[in-house]
Short mmCIF file of all heavy atoms in Angstrom, two decimals:
data_model
loop_
_atom_site.label_atom_id
_atom_site.label_comp_id
_atom_site.label_asym_id
_atom_site.label_seq_id
_atom_site.Cartn_x
_atom_site.Cartn_y
_atom_site.Cartn_z
N GLY P 140 -23.74 -1.90 -3.96
CA GLY P 140 -23.13 -2.40 -2.74
C GLY P 140 -22.36 -3.75 -2.88
O GLY P 140 -21.96 -4.27 -1.88
N GLU P 141 -22.20 -4.15 -4.09
CA GLU P 141 -21.56 -5.46 -4.35
C GLU P 141 -20.04 -5.42 -3.91
O GLU P 141 -19.55 -6.44 -3.29
CB GLU P 141 -21.67 -5.87 -5.83
CG GLU P 141 -21.10 -7.23 -6.11
CD GLU P 141 -21.26 -7.61 -7.58
OE1 GLU P 141 -22.36 -7.43 -8.08
OE2 GLU P 141 -20.29 -8.10 -8.20
N ASP P 142 -19.38 -4.30 -4.06
CA ASP P 142 -18.01 -4.19 -3.63
C ASP P 142 -17.97 -3.85 -2.17
O ASP P 142 -17.30 -4.54 -1.38
CB ASP P 142 -17.28 -3.12 -4.47
CG ASP P 142 -15.74 -3.08 -4.20
OD1 ASP P 142 -15.23 -4.06 -3.57
OD2 ASP P 142 -15.15 -2.15 -4.68
N VAL P 143 -18.61 -2.80 -1.75
CA VAL P 143 -18.67 -2.32 -0.31
C VAL P 143 -20.03 -1.88 0.00
O VAL P 143 -20.71 -1.11 -0.80
CB VAL P 143 -17.69 -1.19 -0.08
CG1 VAL P 143 -17.71 -0.80 1.41
CG2 VAL P 143 -16.25 -1.55 -0.53
N SER P 144 -20.60 -2.33 1.12
CA SER P 144 -21.89 -1.87 1.54
C SER P 144 -21.81 -0.72 2.49
O SER P 144 -20.90 -0.66 3.38
CB SER P 144 -22.71 -3.12 2.19
OG SER P 144 -21.99 -3.55 3.28
N LYS P 145 -22.76 0.20 2.39
CA LYS P 145 -22.75 1.45 3.22
C LYS P 145 -22.76 0.99 4.69
O LYS P 145 -23.50 0.12 5.11
CB LYS P 145 -23.99 2.25 2.91
CG LYS P 145 -24.06 3.58 3.70
CD LYS P 145 -25.36 4.39 3.29
CE LYS P 145 -25.38 5.60 4.09
NZ LYS P 145 -26.55 6.41 3.67
N GLY P 146 -21.89 1.69 5.46
CA GLY P 146 -21.84 1.42 6.96
C GLY P 146 -20.85 0.34 7.37
O GLY P 146 -20.56 0.22 8.56
N SER P 147 -20.41 -0.45 6.40
CA SER P 147 -19.45 -1.53 6.77
C SER P 147 -18.10 -0.91 7.09
O SER P 147 -17.67 0.09 6.62
CB SER P 147 -19.37 -2.54 5.58
OG SER P 147 -18.80 -1.88 4.47
N GLU P 148 -17.33 -1.68 8.00
CA GLU P 148 -16.00 -1.26 8.30
C GLU P 148 -15.06 -1.76 7.24
O GLU P 148 -15.00 -2.99 6.87
CB GLU P 148 -15.56 -1.85 9.62
CG GLU P 148 -14.16 -1.50 10.13
CD GLU P 148 -13.74 -2.04 11.49
OE1 GLU P 148 -14.53 -1.92 12.44
OE2 GLU P 148 -12.70 -2.69 11.47
N ILE P 149 -14.38 -0.83 6.57
CA ILE P 149 -13.45 -1.15 5.52
C ILE P 149 -11.97 -1.23 5.92
O ILE P 149 -11.18 -1.95 5.37
CB ILE P 149 -13.64 -0.23 4.38
CG1 ILE P 149 -13.28 1.22 4.73
CG2 ILE P 149 -15.03 -0.34 3.74
CD1 ILE P 149 -13.06 2.13 3.51
N LEU P 150 -11.66 -0.47 7.02
CA LEU P 150 -10.25 -0.42 7.47
C LEU P 150 -10.29 -0.36 9.00
O LEU P 150 -10.97 0.43 9.60
CB LEU P 150 -9.52 0.82 6.92
CG LEU P 150 -9.51 0.88 5.39
CD1 LEU P 150 -8.94 2.31 4.95
CD2 LEU P 150 -8.50 -0.13 4.83
N SER P 151 -9.52 -1.20 9.63
CA SER P 151 -9.47 -1.28 11.10
C SER P 151 -8.55 -0.41 11.75
O SER P 151 -7.48 -0.01 11.19
CB SER P 151 -9.29 -2.75 11.53
OG SER P 151 -7.99 -3.17 11.03
N SER P 152 -8.76 -0.05 13.02
CA SER P 152 -7.84 0.75 13.83
C SER P 152 -6.49 0.05 13.91
O SER P 152 -6.42 -1.15 14.08
CB SER P 152 -8.46 1.00 15.19
OG SER P 152 -7.54 1.80 15.97
#
Side-chain angles (χ1 to χ4, degrees):
E141 184 175 314
D142 189 11
V143 180
S144 58
K145 182 179 179 179
S147 63
E148 181 179 309
I149 62 163
L150 299 167
S151 58
S152 177

